[in-house]
Amino acid sequence: MCELLGMSANTPTDLCFSFTGLTRRGGETGPHKDGWGISFYDGKGVRSFHDPEPSASSAIARFVSSHPIKSKTAICHIRQANVGSVNLANTHPFVRELWGRYWVFAHNGQVPNFVRRVGMYEPVGDTDSEDIFCDLMNQVRQNLPRDAMPTQLASTLVSLAQEYASQGVFNCLLTNGDWLFSFCTTRMASITRRAPFGPASLQDTEMTVDFAAETTPADVVTLIATSPLTLDEEWDRYQPGEWRLWQLGELLAQGQVDVPRYPTTPAPETC
Amino acid sequence: MCELLGMSANTPTDLCFSFTGLTRRGGETGPHKDGWGISFYDGKGVRSFHDPEPSASSAIARFVSSHPIKSKTAICHIRQANVGSVNLANTHPFVRELWGRYWVFAHNGQVPNFVRRVGMYEPVGDTDSEDIFCDLMNQVRQNLPRDAMPTQLASTLVSLAQEYASQGVFNCLLTNGDWLFSFCTTRMASITRRAPFGPASLQDTEMTVDFAAETTPADVVTLIATSPLTLDEEWDRYQPGEWRLWQLGELLAQGQVDVPRYPTTPAPETC
């Protein structure tokens, strides 16, 4: 399967620690060796790094993990290809502009035979993931006002996510830099770190960080990942069909809808 | 002024040599210290690096100049800000998707009081450059068929460029990865390297390369830059109003239209 990582924070925060853990799974502790990508917001701007190389051995990934880039909102994806060949165009996250904001999307799962409805956004690559993202963007543009509140937006996103999930496995992260929407069909977990901060150790490589030394008491940082990245923290696992909308590290809204249940075997989760 | 650099080649070629020279002008040999960006195509995919830091001291720029990324089409920009503050969202090149391809644009110049016509593409930042790019993309989408030939596309692009140039200084590079369009109001030059290849030395830093050792006899590589990057090569300077359409390193079409003449002082060329 692919793996997702998202961050929502109330202060610019670097993702080096979590990114280092996740990228080990891209060809070292995990099989997701078919490329990786990460997008960091800085204000309304987005800085993305994409590479079809395995993240565990990618020079760009080494650079990103060793040069702290601080952001309030970030989305990362490591890929194990199934639909679509291994190339740069098929590497998540995907980015499109809507209403003067960059929207960033990453997907974990597989939605076979997905048919995109006609609209202005079209995929560049040939993954079902980018096809779904373009359909989602077209539906949002056509059915919502540009000044829609995040909660109004969420109800549209949940309906669309439920529709996609009815056709396959659909775990996703979507953001416009202001909020971060997460939807789970099979596997997803989140953790919100706030004062008092403590230490944490990565599951995938020998690395420990003491967040108390790197934060202020006012910091709130939420991470969302396909599976927990640390050994010594309590991650809150999503239920199938559960969605959570994050903003500045806080939970803005959440809910759960009916979705088909799948065994969490690797097969249906490739992307 | 800002400076532009573009590459069109018939074989994947790295831009390290030229990029190293250009980035010296971002705070060292030149005043363009308000950010930089570069986009490399790999098939239909695009890999972009953006940084609001001066390119001469940017860690990301150092990484890009020391890790060869091979591409047939690339666009680079270093910025000296005038319209729009110094931030990531205002950093060129700008990217949008049209007809299932990523289109990449960078601008050198200043078009005061530009008014964008209504359309689906909207700027994320607040530069006149991104405003013009969105207007251009809206006009192309509205007035051309998706299967337009590059030469048919060129006539539309030239009309639009002439219109923008009538309102200010408009030097630009635009590509969808298949072709590269260049338009000059004030300053632009190109060079096409092909066998027999020789050595070249950068103007902005002590660096010489022997292209003969890094190429095959079949290679054709064209560079387009605001001002020549090498000391010992003959660059072909554009005339005001001149445009050139490149594909796989070769000149596909060219022409010249009337544009207002400006003194090539730094002032009107900031962006």
Side-chain angles (χ1 to χ4, degrees):
Chain A
M1 60 280 196
C2 304
E3 294 214 17
L4 300 170
L5 170 63
M7 178 177 73
S8 173
N10 68 347
T11 184
T13 305
D14 81 65
L15 201 56
C16 292
F17 178 69
S18 301
F19 181 77
T20 299
L22 186 73
T23 50
R24 295 300 93 208
R25 299 177 182 178
E28 203 173 270
T29 60
H32 323 290
K33 56 173 179 38
D34 299 324
W36 64 278
I38 187 165
S39 295
F40 300 94
Y41 280 85
D42 181 353
K44 290 168 69 180
V46 174
R47 196 193 308 254
S48 295
F49 299 87
H50 291 98
D51 197 357
E53 298 301 309
S55 56
S57 57
S58 160
I60 302 177
R62 272 197 305 280
F63 174 84
V64 171
S65 57
S66 58
H67 287 73
I69 295 174
K70 289 181 180 282
S71 175
K72 290 183 179 179
T73 310
I75 285 182
C76 180
H77 179 274
I78 56 174
R79 181 169 184 233
Q80 183 179 15
N82 180 293
V83 177
S85 53
V86 177
N87 60 49
L88 187 62
N90 286 344
T91 305
H92 310 217
F94 302 107
V95 183
R96 295 291 188 275
E97 174 267 318
L98 169 61
W99 299 325
R101 298 292 295 258
Y102 292 120
W103 292 49
V104 174
F105 172 88
H107 169 228
N108 156 231
Q110 198 179 336
V111 183
N113 314 315
F114 176 74
V115 178
R116 176 175 41 87
R117 286 157 285 201
V118 174
M120 54 155 282
Y121 297 103
E122 297 181 32
V124 172
D126 54 7
T127 62
D128 54 346
S129 302
E130 190 185 12
D131 227 14
I132 290 172
F133 175 45
C134 292
D135 184 80
L136 182 152
M137 294 294 285
N138 286 324
Q139 295 304 310
V140 168
R141 173 181 280 271
Q142 291 163 26
N143 300 315
L144 278 174
R146 60 186 302 138
D147 58 356
M149 299 294 294
T151 45
Q152 179 186 5
L153 183 78
S155 68
T156 297
L157 295 179
V158 170
S159 306
L160 288 166
Q162 187 175 23
E163 178 191 334
Y164 304 140
S166 72
Q167 303 172 54
V169 175
F170 185 72
N171 303 294
C172 86
L173 297 176
L174 173 73
T175 176
N176 75 344
D178 175 36
W179 43 261
L180 193 157
F181 175 77
S182 53
F183 186 89
C184 171
T185 292
T186 51
R187 291 199 311 152
M188 192 171 281
S190 69
I191 185 166
T192 299
R193 296 175 181 138
R194 62 177 83 234
F197 292 95
S201 308
L202 288 177
Q203 244 183 42
D204 298 83
T205 185
E206 279 205 13
M207 188 173 183
T208 298
V209 66
D210 179 8
F211 291 114
E214 305 197 353
T215 52
T216 74
D219 294 359
V220 179
V221 180
T222 290
L223 293 176
I224 307 104
T226 297
S227 62
L229 292 164
T230 54
L231 293 166
D232 39 16
E233 296 180 299
E234 272 300 315
W235 290 66
D236 179 10
R237 293 183 186 276
Y238 287 55
Q239 295 302 308
E242 185 174 356
W243 61 272
R244 299 177 190 175
L245 180 66
W246 302 93
Q247 190 172 50
L248 298 174
E250 302 286 2
L251 189 61
L252 198 63
Q254 73 186 115
Q256 187 171 1
V257 293
D258 288 335
V259 295
R261 303 299 175 107
Y262 296 87
T264 57
T265 56
E269 293 195 14
T270 52
C271 54
Chain B
M1 61 279 197
C2 305
E3 294 213 17
L4 301 169
L5 170 63
M7 179 179 72
S8 172
N10 68 347
T11 183
T13 305
D14 82 66
L15 201 58
C16 292
F17 179 68
S18 303
F19 181 77
T20 299
L22 185 75
T23 51
R24 296 299 94 208
R25 300 177 182 177
E28 202 174 272
T29 61
H32 323 290
K33 55 172 180 41
D34 299 324
W36 64 278
I38 188 165
S39 296
F40 299 95
Y41 280 84
D42 180 353
K44 291 167 69 181
V46 173
R47 196 192 311 252
S48 295
F49 299 86
H50 291 97
D51 196 358
E53 297 301 309
S55 56
S57 56
S58 159
I60 301 177
R62 272 197 305 280
F63 173 84
V64 171
S65 57
S66 59
H67 287 74
I69 295 174
K70 289 181 180 283
S71 175
K72 290 182 179 180
T73 311
I75 285 182
C76 179
H77 179 274
I78 56 175
R79 180 170 185 234
Q80 184 179 15
N82 179 293
V83 177
S85 53
V86 177
N87 60 47
L88 187 62
N90 286 343
T91 305
H92 309 216
F94 302 106
V95 183
R96 296 290 188 275
E97 174 267 316
L98 169 61
W99 299 325
R101 298 293 294 257
Y102 293 119
W103 292 49
V104 173
F105 172 87
H107 168 229
N108 155 232
Q110 198 179 336
V111 182
N113 313 315
F114 176 74
V115 179
R116 176 174 40 88
R117 286 157 286 202
V118 174
M120 53 154 282
Y121 297 103
E122 297 181 33
V124 173
D126 54 6
T127 62
D128 54 346
S129 302
E130 190 184 11
D131 227 14
I132 291 173
F133 175 44
C134 292
D135 185 79
L136 183 151
M137 293 294 285
N138 287 324
Q139 294 304 310
V140 168
R141 173 181 281 270
Q142 290 163 25
N143 300 315
L144 278 173
R146 60 186 302 140
D147 58 354
M149 299 294 294
T151 46
Q152 179 186 4
L153 183 78
S155 67
T156 297
L157 295 179
V158 170
S159 306
L160 288 166
Q162 187 175 22
E163 178 191 334
Y164 304 139
S166 72
Q167 303 173 54
V169 174
F170 185 72
N171 303 294
C172 86
L173 297 175
L174 173 73
T175 177
N176 74 345
D178 177 37
W179 42 261
L180 193 157
F181 176 77
S182 53
F183 186 89
C184 172
T185 292
T186 52
R187 291 199 311 152
M188 193 172 281
S190 70
I191 186 165
T192 298
R193 297 176 181 138
R194 62 177 84 230
F197 290 96
S201 307
L202 287 177
Q203 247 184 40
D204 298 84
T205 185
E206 280 206 11
M207 188 175 185
T208 298
V209 65
D210 179 8
F211 291 114
E214 305 197 354
T215 52
T216 75
D219 294 359
V220 179
V221 180
T222 291
L223 292 177
I224 306 103
T226 297
S227 63
L229 292 164
T230 54
L231 294 166
D232 39 17
E233 296 181 300
E234 274 299 315
W235 289 66
D236 179 10
R237 292 183 187 276
Y238 287 55
Q239 296 302 308
E242 186 174 355
W243 60 272
R244 299 177 190 174
L245 180 67
W246 302 93
Q247 190 173 48
L248 298 174
E250 302 285 3
L251 189 61
L252 198 63
Q254 73 186 117
Q256 187 172 1
V257 293
D258 288 336
V259 295
R261 302 299 174 110
Y262 295 87
T264 57
T265 56
E269 292 195 15
T270 52
C271 55

